[in-house]
Amino acid sequence: MEFLGEFLSSALNGNDALFKACIVGVGEVKMDWMSQCKHMTVHSYLNDKYSPYFGITVEEVRQLGVDEEALKHVMKWYGGYYFGDYQVFNPFSLMSWLTRGKECAIFWTGTTSTTYLPEFMKYHEKSIIMDIFTILLEGNSFEIELTSTQVNYSESNWQLKKIMNYLVLTGHLTYLYKAKAVTIPNKEVEHYWENYVMPMLRSKLL
């Protein structure tokens, strides 16, 4: 992290050849080295300005030649993510669907370890998380207002809002800004929760 701070600081600060820079990442990481990078503005899932560019929009899928019936079906599998007022698709899963005969399958969630998220969550408010995701897997949303998108990995015991923010940033939940609630975005992610996360959480709680 120290190297990254020095690298970004030298590249961005006092660089006469640079007018403006865009740093793209999954989450807004709270680290001391970020203070070395001056005048940064963060655009997250909580605002609309660049929301259509965080994924592939519904209109862009139509432009790819997907008819309305197929669009409704694929939206249930890989859509459902919200940035501000915009709904977007998971780009990796959608493109995999398009290039593999338009057959719905597990794409994005199949590229990661099936244990990293359960292992992370077992240290943070296990009983509360269990209740919440029982509600979510029944197709409901969970009301919670998220006001910060920063992630501080040095903290040992995250509270509920920080856990939910992390799960939104990593794509395992989506945040409905107007409703002030989180929900599971689509069938692909729901499959991951049902088959990998919840069984491990149950085993850790018993």
Side-chain angles (χ1 to χ4, degrees):
M1 286 298 181
E2 183 178 349
F3 165 77
L4 186 57
E6 293 177 356
F7 173 77
L8 289 175
S9 178
S10 60
L12 301 177
N13 295 333
N15 185 348
D16 295 335
L18 179 69
F19 173 68
K20 185 180 294 186
C22 177
I23 303 174
V24 180
V26 173
E28 180 189 357
V29 181
K30 182 177 176 59
M31 291 290 179
D32 292 339
W33 57 262
M34 291 295 287
S35 62
Q36 300 177 42
C37 302
K38 309 297 184 183
H39 311 299
M40 293 184 67
T41 302
V42 176
H43 296 279
S44 71
Y45 63 81
L46 293 177
N47 50 49
D48 280 332
K49 187 168 184 180
Y50 297 104
S51 293
Y53 309 108
F54 282 99
I56 301 175
T57 65
V58 175
E59 185 55 37
E60 287 171 333
V61 176
R62 289 193 178 101
Q63 292 172 10
L64 293 172
V66 177
D67 62 50
E68 291 301 313
E69 184 177 351
L71 178 62
K72 290 179 182 179
H73 183 63
V74 76
M75 191 180 298
K76 292 179 181 178
W77 270 86
Y78 310 120
Y81 291 101
Y82 283 88
F83 292 87
D85 288 332
Y86 289 89
Q87 181 181 180
V88 299
F89 288 82
N90 180 309
F92 180 84
S93 292
L94 180 69
M95 297 311 296
S96 297
W97 175 78
L98 284 168
T99 57
R100 300 186 187 187
K102 296 183 179 179
E103 293 290 333
C104 290
I106 302 303
F107 296 124
W108 173 66
T109 56
T111 64
T112 187
S113 166
T114 58
T115 61
Y116 92 93
L117 188 57
E119 286 295 324
F120 161 77
M121 291 180 62
K122 73 180 183 181
Y123 297 108
H124 304 293
E125 300 193 21
K126 295 187 290 291
S127 59
I128 297 176
I129 291 295
M130 188 72 175
D131 291 340
I132 290 171
F133 284 102
T134 298
I135 294 171
L136 292 176
L137 286 170
E138 291 175 351
N140 301 309
S141 60
F142 178 79
E143 292 186 8
I144 184 170
E145 184 174 7
L146 301 179
T147 57
S148 173
T149 58
Q150 285 190 340
V151 177
N152 188 348
Y153 292 100
S154 63
E155 292 183 354
S156 59
N157 187 23
W158 291 9
Q159 299 302 310
L160 185 59
K161 284 190 176 184
K162 292 184 178 180
I163 296 171
M164 291 301 174
N165 173 55
Y166 175 79
L167 295 174
V168 171
L169 290 172
T170 55
H172 295 95
L173 291 178
T174 192
Y175 184 60
L176 309 175
Y177 182 76
K178 289 185 177 179
K180 301 292 186 289
V182 294
T183 189
I184 295 174
N186 53 52
K187 287 187 175 182
E188 182 182 33
V189 178
E190 182 181 38
H191 175 272
Y192 182 84
W193 282 107
E194 287 181 337
N195 289 276
Y196 302 111
V197 182
M198 294 303 286
M200 184 170 287
L201 285 177
R202 291 189 184 100
S203 68
K204 299 299 180 183
L205 286 170
L206 294 177

